[in-house]
Amino acid sequence: MIDASEIVDAFVAALRDIPELVAEMDDEPERISAYHDHYPKRSSLAMAMHQMPAPGLMVAWKGTGPGTFGTNEVWKHELTLYLRARSTGESDGPAYNRLFRLITKGIPASAGVPMMQNTIHPDCYPMDSPAIQRATDAEGLDYFEVSVTFTEIGDA
């Protein structure tokens, strides 16, 4: 089993390589960040989400579990992306839909293929079809979460 933090870091690097997504982050690639647990300094995902800038996108490892790929038993690594869109006017269109489309269909400059077809980590298949859903933080503000799963190729 590979270290899921490698997948998180590789995914963040690929997202930062999508020019249109970086533009949505006010042209600041560091607004696309990884969350890694480091007890005791960084052991609250809720706090990290609260401190996340808007616009911002944070990728965190949610967990790893067994799965299947064809007839093979494999490991599946689930990541969650926490999205805060930039301020928009009514005429700017739906910002969260645009972010989700760039996460799935955006093309990293160095890869040349859309994210859904991109090999993020050499020991994983491209991401499974992700899901997006609305969530609410402790202050009652809405944001969106995107669940992404990466399936290992064998058991590295």
Side-chain angles (χ1 to χ4, degrees):
M1 178 180 352
I2 60 177
D3 182 342
S5 67
E6 293 177 18
I7 302 169
V8 170
D9 290 340
F11 195 50
V12 167
L15 292 169
R16 286 179 173 177
D17 198 27
I18 301 171
E20 296 87 354
L21 185 57
V22 172
E24 289 293 321
M25 298 293 128
D26 291 340
D27 291 317
E28 297 179 29
E30 64 277 359
R31 288 179 177 259
I32 302 170
S33 63
Y35 175 83
H36 295 292
D37 296 284
H38 295 287
Y39 184 81
K41 282 186 167 185
R42 194 162 181 169
S43 59
S44 173
L45 181 57
M47 180 64 74
M49 288 172 43
H50 178 73
Q51 294 172 344
M52 193 170 93
L57 188 160
M58 183 172 60
V59 181
W61 174 54
K62 185 172 184 178
T64 297
T68 58
F69 190 81
T71 58
N72 298 322
E73 291 183 10
V74 294
W75 292 107
K76 291 189 172 263
H77 304 279
E78 188 173 349
L79 309 182
T80 302
L81 287 72
Y82 299 92
L83 310 178
R84 292 224 190 257
R86 64 183 159 94
S87 297
T88 59
E90 294 280 330
S91 64
D92 291 335
Y96 287 105
N97 291 343
R98 191 167 45 250
L99 291 175
F100 184 61
R101 180 161 179 76
L102 289 169
I103 290 164
T104 57
K105 304 289 185 187
I107 300 174
S110 63
V113 296
M115 287 293 284
M116 291 280 297
Q117 300 164 5
N118 192 2
T119 302
I120 300 299
H121 189 283
D123 293 327
C124 291
Y125 294 103
M127 74 171 97
D128 294 348
S129 294
I132 185 169
Q133 63 185 18
R134 180 182 302 270
T136 305
D137 67 15
E139 295 177 340
L141 298 174
D142 286 355
Y143 65 97
F144 280 80
E145 297 178 353
V146 176
S147 296
V148 177
T149 302
F150 290 95
T151 303
E152 277 194 35
I153 301 170
D155 187 9

